[in-house]
Amino acid sequence: MATTRAEGTPGGSGRRRRGPGMTEVARAAGVSQKTVSRVVNGEPHVSPEVRDRVLRVIRELDYRPNNAARALLLGRYRRIGVVSLGTALYGPSTLLIALERAMQRAGYSFALAGTLEGQPASVAVEALLEQGVDGIVLSEPIDDGTPLRVSGDVPVVSLGEGVEITHGLGAVVGADGVAAARTATEHLLSLGHRTVWHIPGPHDWWAARDRTRGWREALAAAGAPEPPLPVEGDWSPASGYAAGRQLAGLCDVTAVFAANDDMALGALRAFAEAGLSVPGDISVVGYDDIPAAAYLSPPLTTVRQNFTAVAERAVDVLIALIEGRPAPAEQAEQAAELTVRSSTGPVRDPVPPPR
């Protein structure tokens, strides 16, 4: 009768060999278990020389802390959960990568819960709480018609508005989309354009609302007329193309601010098909500074978002809430700035009528 041996277990006992524990690490490094614990958990009061020695032994012995036991001992998991829209759009996906890297640098692991279409974000929050996290980041929340209320089981940081923290600690952190959109619109007005048309993103996104608000504020401050919005975009080049075709049929459009670069790209195609030159006939500004923006024809003027700065600020604030410390001072570094390229230029003087 054949016998089955568990792979990787000598003698077929079916039991995995237990890895080295904290005791073995402490003995090999010549320090106490408490010192090893401090190094593993990123705590202070350990000299650089001792920390390096302990980390070297950890690598040599391939020591892996037992997270469950550590959570019971410290009351923390050293893990942060992120609720994401599950989209491949450039902005949200780039921000997600920046959040993961910021958490790793801070010594926290990263747990992700995506929201399915039609599913409230609260379902993803509950899934993360069941896994065990010390805090939660809500990345790019949208307005699904129901106020998002998050219980205060753990601290929560939201990268957008529309979140209500009940019985707990929370904060809203993110780039100032209103100010950035104002800057983009003001740039076009400063080039002599009588007004600026806007291709908006989907209205249920707080980010899209912020950019529309900033556009409106800049026009009002300059005393410029506010033109009607074309068909609402969905962040895709196809929707920007549809809006661009609408705008290309109007005789008084000389400047356009699109709520993201993909929609700006679609608008550029529509303008080219209509025989309009950019920036000769129409100046165009986008938002996000996608990698292709500098290589379009013409290169796209756009708002560059500093996703790393936003992610690091969010993680710093959340960890301060987790550890009961005051929130760190906000950095002077801008989270978004206008990058001027060749898609914007002075308004063309109107051709005088023949005499």
Side-chain angles (χ1 to χ4, degrees), residues 55-125:
L55 290 174
R56 184 172 63 252
V57 171
I58 286 174
R59 288 192 295 270
E60 291 172 352
L61 298 182
D62 194 24
Y63 167 64
R64 298 182 182 180
N66 185 319
N67 287 333
R70 182 168 63 184
L72 287 173
L73 180 65
L74 300 176
R76 292 186 193 151
Y77 295 91
R78 301 291 296 184
R79 182 165 58 237
I80 293 174
V82 177
V83 176
S84 168
L85 293 172
T87 175
L89 289 168
Y90 174 77
S93 60
T94 304
L95 181 58
L96 205 59
I97 294 170
L99 283 168
E100 182 175 13
R101 290 175 177 169
M103 291 172 193
Q104 289 174 344
R105 285 193 292 269
Y108 281 75
S109 61
F110 174 93
L112 178 65
T115 56
L116 303 176
E117 187 174 352
Q119 181 189 69
S122 56
V123 174
V125 171

Side-chain angles (χ1 to χ4, degrees), residues 2-351:
T3 59
T4 301
R5 174 176 294 186
E7 186 176 350
T9 54
S13 64
R15 298 176 61 187
R16 298 181 67 84
R17 180 182 177 273
R18 185 177 70 87
M22 192 176 291
T23 303
E24 288 86 347
V25 173
R27 185 182 301 118
V31 298
S32 67
Q33 290 187 50
K34 178 61 178 175
T35 298
V36 175
S37 176
R38 283 177 174 159
V39 172
V40 167
N41 292 297
E43 297 178 15
H45 312 304
V46 180
S47 70
E49 185 272 329
V50 170
R51 189 181 301 276
D52 290 344
R53 187 165 76 243
V54 170
L55 290 174
R56 184 172 63 252
V57 171
I58 286 174
R59 288 192 295 270
E60 291 172 352
L61 298 182
D62 194 24
Y63 167 64
R64 298 182 182 180
N66 185 319
N67 287 333
R70 182 168 63 184
L72 287 173
L73 180 65
L74 300 176
R76 292 186 193 151
Y77 295 91
R78 301 291 296 184
R79 182 165 58 237
I80 293 174
V82 177
V83 176
S84 168
L85 293 172
T87 175
L89 289 168
Y90 174 77
S93 60
T94 304
L95 181 58
L96 205 59
I97 294 170
L99 283 168
E100 182 175 13
R101 290 175 177 169
M103 291 172 193
Q104 289 174 344
R105 285 193 292 269
Y108 281 75
S109 61
F110 174 93
L112 178 65
T115 56
L116 303 176
E117 187 174 352
Q119 181 189 69
S122 56
V123 174
V125 171
E126 289 301 322
L128 289 170
L129 293 175
E130 289 176 4
Q131 290 182 43
V133 293
D134 299 319
I136 291 175
V137 175
L138 300 173
S139 177
E140 295 280 3
I142 64 172
D143 183 2
D144 60 4
T146 304
L148 176 57
R149 294 184 174 90
V150 181
S151 65
D153 295 337
V154 298
V156 175
V157 165
S158 175
L159 299 183
E161 301 291 341
V163 180
E164 180 181 330
I165 311 298
T166 61
H167 311 297
L169 297 172
V172 175
V173 174
D176 190 345
V178 176
R182 269 201 312 266
T183 298
T185 307
E186 289 165 354
H187 166 67
L188 290 166
L189 292 172
S190 72
L191 294 171
H193 297 277
R194 184 178 72 89
T195 189
V196 176
W197 293 70
H198 181 47
I199 301 177
H203 190 66
D204 56 350
W205 285 60
W206 293 99
R209 294 184 192 180
D210 284 348
R211 293 167 201 181
T212 299
R213 178 183 155 197
W215 164 73
R216 285 195 169 113
E217 288 183 0
L219 294 181
E226 181 184 317
L229 293 172
V231 62
E232 182 180 288
D234 62 4
W235 302 124
S236 70
S239 67
Y241 176 76
R245 290 189 65 181
Q246 278 187 267
L247 297 176
L250 303 176
C251 62
D252 58 344
V253 178
T254 65
V256 174
F257 165 47
N260 80 334
D261 287 349
D262 281 339
M263 292 194 298
L265 187 154
L268 288 174
R269 171 66 181 271
F271 297 151
E273 288 182 356
L276 298 171
S277 68
V278 176
D281 296 312
I282 299 180
S283 288
V284 178
V285 174
Y287 198 109
D288 276 344
D289 198 19
I290 61 175
Y295 301 96
L296 297 175
S297 183
L300 183 65
T301 296
T302 182
V303 175
R304 175 184 296 167
Q305 293 202 73
N306 190 334
F307 295 105
T308 298
V310 173
E312 289 180 348
R313 172 68 181 168
V315 171
D316 287 348
V317 169
L318 184 58
I319 292 176
L321 292 174
I322 291 170
E323 298 179 353
R325 296 184 283 104
E330 193 159 2
Q331 299 298 313
E333 183 179 11
Q334 285 186 313
E337 61 181 356
L338 186 69
T339 300
V340 178
R341 298 193 179 102
S342 303
S343 68
T344 54
V347 64
R348 177 178 291 177
D349 292 331
V351 177

